[in-house]
Amino acid sequence: MSTVHQQDLKDRPARLTVGVVGAGRVGPALAASLQLAGHRPVAVSGVSDASRRRAEALLPGVPLVPPAEVLQRADLVLLTVPDDVLPALVTGLAETGAVRPGQLIVHTSGRYGTKVLDPALRAGALPLALHPAMTFTGTAVDVQRLAGCSFGVTAPEELRLAAQALVIEMGGEPEWISEENRPLYHAALALGANHLVTLVAQAMELLRTAGVEAPDRMLGPLLGAALDNALRSGDAALTGPVARGDAGTVAAHITELRRHAPGAVAGYVAMARATADRALAHGLLKPELAEDLLGALADGTAAPGTEGGHHEGTDGTDGTTGTEGNDR
């Protein structure tokens, strides 16, 4: 941060007191970012020892108090709890009278829009849904990563400017998501980010089994190039045996996975089918090669030792699947 910016923040009074309910990886980082913008964190709630350590590291000197007391102290409350916990938390806070009229209540769930905050709205609060599209580590590096991070934002029309201002103050870029599209938006992010971690971890384990001493060093340039190509070119970036229609290679992969990592077979087959669907649709996979390839993948779903052949896919179709993901 520049000296000029530091001086500006020093001379400017804090505009909002900020509280965090749920000191997981996200809440303290967002509050720390708002603090850099001139707001004042005043209270945090956290249950586990890890949450308490995280809050102390990112928000030193900010007291740890029960959730209801967080709402008593703060003008802006960040509800940064797991998705499945959020509805009951909002209802409970509203029913106990903790919510104050005019208070900004912000949740960071990707799955929900503002409707989940209706109990707080009925108590007079101002509801916002601000979801940072980023993975968090629970450390100070997260505050830096917020610069340029997209936020999935859902807000009532009269609060759009307030939502936009908060996101920009945290260094982010607002992306407006309608209430009905929040689950789909979140599924897309989970498919791209959460499942990526699983795929990379599995690839590293297999490389170690194959005798590679530094799988991270081997995968780093490959995955970096693949991600860059995919973001730039979409399906045109598809490469590898599935896109080429190398059925024999795919069959060999499945055989080796069954031998060394049977738990990875289902994921390999599912992703290969999805890749084949997209390669066919975009003219990368020749139709005359697709039949043998899909046959190899169908054989891959059969139990070892059973006769191969054409099997229905996991979505009930003729052996190919769509590309829908699951919400995280």
Side-chain angles (χ1 to χ4, degrees):
M1 185 184 299
S2 68
T3 304
V4 174
H5 192 196
Q6 287 178 339
Q7 188 64 35
D8 288 344
L9 294 182
K10 180 179 178 181
D11 295 339
R12 185 175 63 191
R15 289 163 294 159
L16 292 171
T17 52
V18 179
V20 179
V21 177
R25 297 181 180 183
V26 178
L30 296 187
S33 182
L34 288 168
Q35 186 174 36
L36 291 176
H39 301 288
R40 183 164 61 93
V42 293
V44 182
S45 72
V47 178
S48 69
D49 291 339
S51 294
R52 293 171 180 271
R53 289 193 299 269
R54 194 178 295 119
E56 178 60 30
L58 291 173
L59 301 170
V62 176
L64 282 158
V65 299
E69 191 171 341
V70 173
L71 271 71
Q72 291 173 8
R73 299 186 182 198
D75 302 316
L76 166 63
V77 179
L78 302 174
L79 303 181
T80 54
V81 298
D83 293 353
D84 289 349
V85 174
L86 181 62
L89 173 65
V90 176
T91 299
L93 291 172
E95 288 179 348
T96 58
V99 179
R100 293 186 282 107
Q103 192 171 42
L104 279 165
I105 303 292
V106 178
H107 78 71
T108 59
S109 166
R111 171 184 173 187
Y112 293 108
T114 56
K115 188 172 179 58
V116 72
L117 297 175
D118 277 355
L121 175 64
R122 289 191 291 269
L126 308 176
L128 299 175
L130 308 180
H131 175 251
M134 187 182 76
T135 60
F136 285 77
T137 65
T139 66
V141 71
D142 296 331
V143 180
Q144 302 170 17
R145 286 179 175 174
L146 285 172
C149 168
S150 291
F151 279 67
V153 180
T154 305
E157 186 63 34
E158 62 272 19
L159 294 178
R160 283 172 68 96
L161 287 178
Q164 178 175 286
L166 286 173
V167 170
I168 291 174
E169 285 183 328
M170 287 185 282
E173 297 286 342
E175 187 72 40
W176 301 100
I177 309 294
S178 65
E179 182 80 27
E180 62 271 19
N181 283 337
R182 291 290 291 207
L184 179 61
Y185 151 81
H186 194 219
L189 295 180
L191 185 66
N194 303 149
H195 298 176
L196 176 63
V197 175
T198 301
L199 290 172
V200 173
Q202 285 185 336
M204 290 178 66
E205 289 173 356
L206 292 169
L207 286 172
R208 289 191 190 97
T209 302
V212 175
E213 293 184 359
D216 54 342
R217 190 169 65 229
M218 177 175 284
L219 282 174
L222 174 64
L223 297 182
L227 178 59
D228 184 64
N229 291 342
L231 292 175
R232 291 173 182 271
S233 304
D235 289 300
L238 282 173
T239 62
V242 173
R244 292 192 300 266
D246 290 340
T249 298
V250 169
H253 288 175
I254 293 171
T255 297
E256 289 303 301
L257 289 175
R258 277 181 173 157
R259 180 177 302 151
H260 297 286
V265 172
Y268 178 95
V269 171
M271 289 305 300
R273 284 176 168 169
T275 300
D277 287 347
R278 302 190 74 87
L280 272 170
H282 290 83
L284 302 173
L285 174 60
K286 296 178 181 179
E288 60 269 24
L289 299 177
E291 184 175 356
D292 287 344
L293 176 66
L294 294 176
L297 292 173
D299 289 345
T301 63
T306 61
E307 185 178 352
H310 191 74
H311 297 268
E312 285 194 346
T314 55
D315 63 346
T317 65
D318 62 352
T320 61
T321 64
T323 57
E324 292 84 352
N326 296 319
D327 197 5
R328 61 176 169 175

